[in-house]
């Protein structure tokens, strides 16, 4: 068995937890984070990797020849981005294949950046998706175009607020409020026979689907604390969106959907 000094094991531990934190911040499933960390640890030469995941932090321990190193890192959740998760996994494959040292991991992580689509393409596609849902819900022609405009504006507002690093709860609440207000104002001049469909479809972009899915997957696979944490986060985002909608309805005296 390869001998590893305490200092080198500390470097390996820090490299592994940096990778795990990056994956958790951008929405990876808990079991994938744990498996990736264990693979990276084996590739870097430690005997085993043990970790504990909670929504706000990761505690990680590496074991080698009766020598252990433990470290903790806080987690700051960011918008879901699976390209980051894929980049980390590619890095792990390279380390496994070419036996790179921990310095390679640290250098690679520094250069990992979100692979983002063009923001205007995202605005267009989200608007089109929400408008298409309005048609699926038997909305009229006006509801399609109004939903497209409102959802596109809402997505742009969400992007701006995310760029300014607003809390996600605040971002969802403000976006839902503005989307409902704009949709209601437009329908004063271009009435739709299905206004309820317009108002409901315009805020579909705020549905926290990935956190809800991950919460059930984590709970089903035994990561109960992560499952509850992610479920609560998704529920809070849903409540924030609902509060924004209700506030807009109260301000404009909208009778309901």
């Amino acid at each position: 068995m390869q001998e590893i000094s305490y200092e080198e094991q500390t470097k390996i531990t820090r490299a592994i937890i940096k990778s795990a934190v990056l994956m958790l911040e951008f929405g990876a499933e808990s079991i994938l984070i744990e498996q990736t960390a264990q693979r990276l640890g084996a590739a870097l030469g430690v005997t085993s990797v043990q970790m504990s995941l909670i929504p706000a932090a990761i505690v990680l321990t590496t074991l080698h020849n009766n020598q252990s190193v433990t470290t903790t890192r806080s987690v700051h959740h960011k918008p879901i981005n699976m390209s980051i998760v894929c980049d980390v996994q590619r890095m792990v494959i390279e380390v496994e294949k070419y036996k790179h040292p921990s310095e390679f991991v640290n250098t690679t992580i520094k250069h990992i950046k979100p692979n983002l689509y063009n923001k205007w393409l995202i605005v267009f596609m989200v608007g089109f998706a929400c408008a298409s849902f309005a048609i699926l819900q038997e909305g009229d022609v006006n509801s399609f175009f109004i939903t497209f405009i409102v959802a596109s504006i809402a997505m742009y507002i969400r992007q701006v607020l995310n760029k300014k690093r607003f809390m996600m709860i605040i971002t969802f609440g403000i976006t839902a409020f503005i989307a409902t207000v704009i949709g209601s104002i437009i329908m004063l001049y271009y009435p739709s026979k299905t206004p309820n469909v317009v108002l409901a479809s315009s805020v579909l972009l705020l549905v926290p689907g990935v956190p809800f899915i991950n919460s059930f997957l984590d709970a089903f696979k035994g990561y109960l604390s992560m499952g509850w944490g992610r479920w609560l986060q998704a529920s809070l985002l849903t409540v924030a969106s609902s509060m924004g909608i209700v506030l807009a309805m109260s301000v404009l005296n909208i009778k309901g959907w």
Side-chain angles (χ1 to χ4, degrees), residues 25-27 78-86 113-116:
E25 286 183 335
F26 286 95
K78 299 172 183 177
I80 304 297
N81 195 310
M82 291 295 111
S83 70
I84 297 290
V85 178
C86 291
K113 302 294 181 184
N115 183 19
L116 301 176

Side-chain angles (χ1 to χ4, degrees), residues 14 26 44 54 88-89 98 114 140 142 150 152 162 164 191 207 225 241 243:
R14 290 173 178 172
F26 286 95
L44 292 174
I54 60 174
V88 173
Q89 290 183 294
Y98 299 107
D140 58 9
N142 275 4
V150 176
S152 298
N162 284 336
K164 293 183 179 297
V207 175
S225 60
S241 301
M243 290 178 64

Side-chain angles (χ1 to χ4, degrees), residues 5 9 30 40 42 110 127 164 180 182 206 232 234 237 254 257:
S5 67
Q9 187 175 345
S30 296
L40 184 57
K110 289 180 181 178
K164 293 183 179 297
T180 305
I182 293 176
L206 299 176
L232 182 58
L237 293 177
I254 302 172
W257 289 2

Side-chain angles (χ1 to χ4, degrees), residues 56-67:
I58 295 177
V59 180
L60 186 143
T61 299
T62 58
L63 304 173
H64 188 76
N65 288 346
N66 297 320
Q67 178 176 280

Side-chain angles (χ1 to χ4, degrees), residues 4-255:
I4 298 177
S5 67
Y6 184 83
E7 290 74 17
E8 180 60 27
Q9 187 175 345
T10 300
K11 291 180 181 179
I12 292 172
T13 305
R14 290 173 178 172
I16 296 171
I17 200 169
K18 283 181 181 179
S19 304
V21 166
L22 197 59
M23 294 180 70
L24 182 55
E25 286 183 335
F26 286 95
E29 188 183 348
S30 296
I31 192 170
L32 180 62
I33 297 171
E34 184 171 355
Q35 290 175 346
T36 302
Q38 290 171 346
R39 287 174 53 197
L40 184 57
L44 292 174
V46 296
T47 304
S48 68
V49 176
Q50 305 294 329
M51 65 190 310
S52 176
L53 293 167
I54 60 174
I58 295 177
V59 180
L60 186 143
T61 299
T62 58
L63 304 173
H64 188 76
N65 288 346
N66 297 320
Q67 178 176 280
S68 67
V69 176
T70 302
T71 186
T72 305
R73 292 291 185 277
S74 60
V75 176
H76 305 284
H77 291 279
K78 299 172 183 177
I80 304 297
N81 195 310
M82 291 295 111
S83 70
I84 297 290
V85 178
C86 291
D87 287 341
V88 173
Q89 290 183 294
R90 289 193 192 99
M91 176 198 67
V92 173
I93 293 173
E94 284 196 38
V95 174
E96 290 176 328
K97 187 175 182 180
Y98 299 107
K99 303 303 179 182
H100 292 298
S102 58
E103 288 77 10
F104 173 82
V105 176
N106 293 325
T107 302
T108 303
I109 288 175
K110 289 180 181 178
H111 291 90
I112 291 179
K113 302 294 181 184
N115 183 19
L116 301 176
Y117 291 103
N118 181 277
K119 68 175 183 179
W120 297 113
L121 175 63
I122 295 175
V123 167
F124 174 82
M125 293 306 298
V126 168
F128 184 76
C130 292
S132 299
F133 183 83
I135 292 298
L136 291 175
Q137 295 300 308
E138 300 181 352
D140 58 9
V141 176
N142 275 4
S143 70
F144 176 86
F145 290 105
I146 296 172
T147 301
F148 175 79
I149 294 171
V150 176
S152 298
I153 294 173
M155 189 64 216
Y156 176 74
I157 292 169
R158 180 177 170 180
Q159 289 177 335
V160 171
L161 295 177
N162 284 336
K163 190 174 181 180
K164 293 183 179 297
R165 299 183 182 277
F166 277 75
M167 291 178 59
M168 291 186 68
I169 292 177
I170 296 175
T171 297
F172 274 54
I174 293 175
T175 303
F177 175 83
I178 294 176
T180 305
V181 169
I182 293 176
S184 301
I185 292 175
I186 291 177
M187 283 189 290
L188 291 177
Y189 300 95
Y190 300 95
S192 169
K193 296 179 181 179
T194 53
N196 56 326
V197 172
V198 173
L199 294 176
S201 301
S202 299
V203 294
L204 279 179
L205 59 105
L206 299 176
V207 175
V210 174
F212 270 127
I213 293 172
N214 279 343
S215 69
F216 285 105
L217 289 175
D218 286 346
F220 182 76
K221 295 175 182 179
Y223 299 88
L224 293 179
S225 60
M226 284 297 300
W228 279 111
R230 281 175 160 166
W231 178 83
L232 182 58
Q233 179 193 28
S235 299
L236 289 174
L237 293 177
T238 304
V239 170
S241 301
S242 302
M243 290 178 64
I245 294 169
V246 170
L247 180 60
M249 292 172 63
S250 300
V251 170
L252 298 177
N253 195 27
I254 302 172
K255 297 302 180 182

